[in-house]
Amino acid sequence: RVLFFFHAAGKQRQLTQPSGFFLQAKRCLVSPITSHYEAINRGEQEVPEYFNFACDVMDKWTQVEKDGKKPRNPAFWWVNNQREEVKWSFEELGVLSRKAANVLTGPCGLQRGDRILMVLPRIPEWWLLLLACIRTGIVFISGTSQLTAKDISYRLQASKAKCIVVSDQLAGAVDSLASESKFLQTKLNVSDSPRDGWLSFKDLLRAAPPDYDCVKTKSQEPMAIYFTSGSTGPPKMLVQSHCSYGIGFASSGRHWMDLSPLAVFWNTSDTGWIKAVWSSVFAPWITGSCVFVHHLPQFDPTVILNTLANYPITTFCTAPTAYRMLVQHDLTSYKFMSLKHCLTGGEPLNPEVMEKWKSQTGLDIYEGYGQTETVTICSNLKGMSIKPGSMGKASPPYDVQIVDDQGNILPPGEEGLVAIRVKPKRPFCLFSEYIDNPEKTAATERGEFYITGDRATRDEEGYFWFVGRSDDIINSAGYRIGPFEVESALIEHPAVQEAAVVSSPDPIRGEVVKAFVILSPTFLAHDAEKLTRELQDHVKKVTAPYKYPRKIEFVNELPKTFAGKIQRNVLRNREWRKA
């Protein structure tokens, strides 16, 4: 028996559980667990009627450990800048997630099918609670810690979540809106300090029993809800089932991410973004890999590079924007002794950045492409010849095509819409629906295909090349930002009479938010630079800070259709022609 420590807010909590990490490497590189679900990805086996990632994957890895085939790496490894660490084996994760399940279904009063909103930074509690939700059949909703009270209020009302989980950082904001959230019944705080009206997760976890019988969930039963931005209207809710993400990453986890029980995989995504569950939960654990997490309260290239140099990380995934920042440093002064495989996704990566990274580290960057609605759509697989700037080839189980506006397949070289075949059989890992929005759900299909909304070409060898989005979504540093949300925030300021928001090219972030603003008459004489800063600060306060317009241009009029709709495409095209 060994001791391990549960760190939070600078304090240690001592727990005792069985542990020990040994390796029988050659015998478990590709386990029967991974192989079984990979066969489902390839269409060689049917999707089971019932599936639950916690018991059908995590608990099976626990059994592998008990059978004496324990990997040398922990299943979960968390660190922070204060040199605190948390290491959990699959067995320890099982025990703690069962205790967390008892917290949710006991003191929190939640039942199968209820919804819970978790707005947490990169701390171990997020992983425990996510697994606990899966065990109990409770539907989890993740949100970034940058959400404002207004953002949280909208998500609580739209999702009808009965419970919210935050740390002290957001507890005050939740208290300010709790009376407006008619569905909210329970507030759960993961911080150490007691708070009136809140349950303490740490106290309840310590007292909770370690036994819990996993709920037998159907494969297509709802598991998660994600809010995804649209070009018009507020963020919409999409549903992913237990099997979609839980099984859907077996193939790409092994062949794109190159994961196995030998891997220590670090993905830097914020817990509020879909890439966190892709690469920090489902793909690594279905392959038996170690999930490595750095608290990383803010992006710091030096911390990233030092972490890669000081820990035995074998696989690294971060956004293209991060790579753009990292290659500005002298990478040759760092020695990444364990690093073997590098990944990226979320936005296109410049070929120049790929070349700079490889010239200084000797490592290629393998790009992948997907959406919140999907699992990996295209990827550059390990061992595959990389064509810089390409998203790679189609990933199973998807039949990916380039189609025209009517859904007709286009020949190689012609630009069109990226589409996934959904007829005669819909892929099991495609999202279930947009909640309360059947029109939007139906609009995603055209003929035999699901339309991603992105435009690309495909060459003769089957490589896909991203061209751009067919809607107005702004993808800045991997953050998807809907222009409507920013425009709505700007209009709330008395200086703004009208506003239109589009993407604008940026050498570091790929693209940034730019706002074209028509000023109210009483503000026409104001200092432009001072007013720009004031509007930027205003947007940061009204909505999540990452959405604020980094560029603002004051104009006298905006291009519009005869029906009065702002033509964002005109403004966007004008911006990109300047580049």
Side-chain angles (χ1 to χ4, degrees), residues 418-438:
V418 180
I420 296 170
R421 190 181 297 278
V422 293
K423 294 177 181 178
K425 185 176 181 180
R426 185 180 178 90
F428 73 91
C429 47
L430 200 57
F431 80 113
S432 303
E433 65 172 338
Y434 295 115
I435 296 177
D436 299 330
N437 200 338

Side-chain angles (χ1 to χ4, degrees), residues 449-470:
F449 295 96
Y450 161 77
I451 304 300
T452 64
D454 293 324
R455 301 187 69 83
T457 62
R458 185 181 61 177
D459 65 22
E460 294 282 355
E461 296 181 87
Y463 285 78
F464 288 81
W465 302 79
F466 186 83
V467 174
R469 286 162 297 285
S470 56

Side-chain angles (χ1 to χ4, degrees), residues 163-184:
C163 177
I164 188 168
V165 188
V166 299
S167 62
D168 277 342
Q169 175 186 350
L170 288 175
V174 174
D175 282 336
S176 70
L177 57 85
S179 61
E180 306 168 5
S181 305
K182 59 182 178 180
F183 303 102
L184 184 62

Side-chain angles (χ1 to χ4, degrees), residues 15 22 28 32 39 42 75 165 231 234 253 283 304 333 391 415 442 452 458 462 472 504:
L15 301 171
F22 305 99
C28 63
R42 294 194 301 263
V165 188
S231 57
I304 297 257
S333 63
M391 301 186 293
E415 178 187 325
T452 64
R458 185 181 61 177
D472 295 317
S504 180

Side-chain angles (χ1 to χ4, degrees), residues 172-217:
V174 174
D175 282 336
S176 70
L177 57 85
S179 61
E180 306 168 5
S181 305
K182 59 182 178 180
F183 303 102
L184 184 62
Q185 299 175 3
T186 306
K187 297 179 294 184
L188 192 61
N189 189 358
V190 300
S191 298
D192 285 323
S193 55
R195 194 176 186 95
D196 289 343
W198 291 75
L199 298 178
S200 168
F201 175 68
K202 289 188 170 66
D203 290 343
L204 294 173
L205 183 71
R206 185 170 53 241
D211 298 318
Y212 184 89
D213 291 332
C214 188
V215 169
K216 189 178 181 181
T217 50

